[in-house]
Amino acid sequence: MASTTFPIGGMHCAACAARNERTLGKMPGVRKANVNLGTRRARVEFDENLVTEAALREAVVQNGYEVPTDEAADPRQLAQQEVATARQRAIWAIALGLPVVVLAMADIALPWSYLGRNAAVWGQAILGSVVILGLGADFHRGLVAQTRNLSANMDTLISLGTLAALLYSLWGMWSGERHLYFETGVVIAALILLGRYFEARSRGQAGEAIAKLMELGAKTARVARNGQELDMPIEQVAAGDVLLVRPGEKIPVDGTIEGGSSSIDESMLTGESMPVSKAAGDAVFGATINISGAFQMRATRVGQDTMLAQIVRMVADAQGNKAPIQKLADRVSGIFVPVVLGIALATALGWYLATGDVSQSFVPAVAVLLIACPCSLGLATPTAIMVGTGVGARRGILIKNGEALERGRKIDVVVFD
């Protein structure tokens, strides 16, 4: 069995993660599939004789989502770009949407008109179209992609709700309808964009924990080769190399002392501030600090095999693993969107049969869509788990998985070997 982890772009709700997880899980040869909304990544265990990694990625693309090809890019830089884009959209949505709300709610009439409608109404129509169609374009692209695959997610609700408010209001401008709903679509689009900014910022802050852990390691090592001492990047150190460590330096990799002795500050591993005495034959670990003496050591574990790399990997896995409450949220979200669409349709039909008025049946139906679309459980749960593990890592508390985080009364002890 092989395993792979790859990013997925375009997911905005638990229904998105659940759909991709179901698709991957149903593929032949897949033993286990886990798609995490908080980290935007899929982790799949599969039989290489039955399915390829390329086929797994293509299945996600066929679902209407993206699989970025540039996985070597700096995660922090990508997170910063995501936060900056989300912040810019949220600010513009609020700035352009506020005049629409003021004009509509205060029923303000400007001193000129055009084509039989007051300029205030035209202002609402123009600004509302920019916010809903322009800044909210991702919602509508999601709707198109999901419709093409005969499925639905939270983008479906948001897009249908905002487009219904906008299109009905545009139709009402030409038909002479007095009650228009530009502000309704604008407010929900702006609030969702603001929520996505907060979500992106939370993910970015949580991801910084892993970056800071990685920064604990040494960047270079002094290696003794062919009778010479060479300073080289830590990536070029191989198992079996003899390294020289002087006082005050970080130990580059895991290994054993072959000559000399010293006191080592291992607080980054154990939390104990008192230095530990080390002599020939004792094990030392990368990213700990040599306090007093100089010594020679032989590298035993380098790269992704070091203790520090295991810690980083454990924190990343904890952010990707699903707690029981998140699994419940995913199951609910799998049926949530179709149920909401059905309720909205039944609401519109019921009001129309009772009143015979399209306008009166439209408003309650749109209200059902808009109230449902934030999907607080599906968004808040994975984000809370990701932020919780990140905050713990920054404070020296390593949380094994989401289940341990949820069970506050249970302590999971992790032993690295």
Side-chain angles (χ1 to χ4, degrees), residues 11 23 51 53-54 73 93 97 100 146 156 163 168 179 194 214-215 223 317 319 339 344 354 362 390 395 413:
M11 295 196 302
T23 299
V51 66
E53 182 176 345
V100 177
Q146 295 305 312
T156 305
L163 285 177
Y168 178 86
H179 298 290
L194 181 62
M214 295 175 66
E215 290 174 355
V223 182
D317 288 344
Q319 291 184 342
V339 169
F362 165 80
R395 298 186 179 183
V413 179

Side-chain angles (χ1 to χ4, degrees), residues 150-336:
L150 300 179
S151 62
N153 61 7
M154 297 311 299
D155 280 344
T156 305
L157 298 183
I158 299 169
S159 180
L160 287 177
T162 54
L163 285 177
L166 176 64
L167 296 177
Y168 178 86
S169 300
L170 291 174
W171 172 80
M173 286 181 62
W174 300 109
S175 63
E177 178 68 36
R178 172 171 172 75
H179 298 290
L180 306 178
Y181 301 97
F182 290 115
E183 80 284 358
T184 303
V186 165
V187 167
I188 194 63
L191 289 177
I192 295 297
L193 289 171
L194 181 62
R196 289 190 175 176
Y197 161 61
F198 289 143
E199 181 192 357
R201 191 177 66 172
S202 297
R203 287 200 309 273
Q205 290 173 345
E208 288 178 1
I210 295 178
K212 289 181 179 179
L213 283 174
M214 295 175 66
E215 290 174 355
L216 292 175
K219 302 299 184 292
T220 61
R222 185 172 293 102
V223 182
R225 286 182 181 174
N226 302 322
Q228 296 182 333
E229 295 183 9
L230 304 174
D231 287 332
M232 61 178 57
I234 195 69
E235 293 81 12
Q236 297 180 11
V237 177
D241 281 342
V242 175
L243 311 180
L244 308 177
V245 184
R246 295 181 296 191
E249 294 181 338
K250 286 185 178 180
I251 297 175
V253 295
D254 296 359
T256 56
I257 295 179
E258 292 199 337
S261 61
S262 181
S263 295
I264 308 296
D265 179 0
E266 295 185 339
S267 58
M268 60 82 58
L269 289 178
T270 64
E272 173 57 59
S273 59
M274 291 293 293
V276 180
S277 297
K278 299 282 186 176
D282 290 338
V284 291
F285 304 97
T288 57
I289 300 175
N290 181 23
I291 298 296
S292 54
F295 60 86
Q296 291 183 339
M297 61 171 287
R298 185 172 296 276
T300 57
R301 292 188 293 189
V302 300
Q304 296 302 310
D305 296 327
T306 64
M307 179 78 75
L308 178 62
Q310 291 184 53
I311 294 174
V312 172
R313 189 159 53 249
M314 188 195 71
V315 174
D317 288 344
Q319 291 184 342
N321 288 336
K322 294 183 179 180
I325 186 63
Q326 187 177 347
K327 295 177 182 177
L328 173 62
D330 288 350
R331 286 197 297 269
V332 171
S333 296
I335 61 173
F336 179 78

Side-chain angles (χ1 to χ4, degrees), residues 62-65 140-151:
Q62 291 299 320
N63 261 352
Y65 298 91
H140 315 310
R141 280 194 288 265
L143 170 66
V144 172
Q146 295 305 312
T147 302
R148 189 181 298 124
N149 290 282
L150 300 179
S151 62

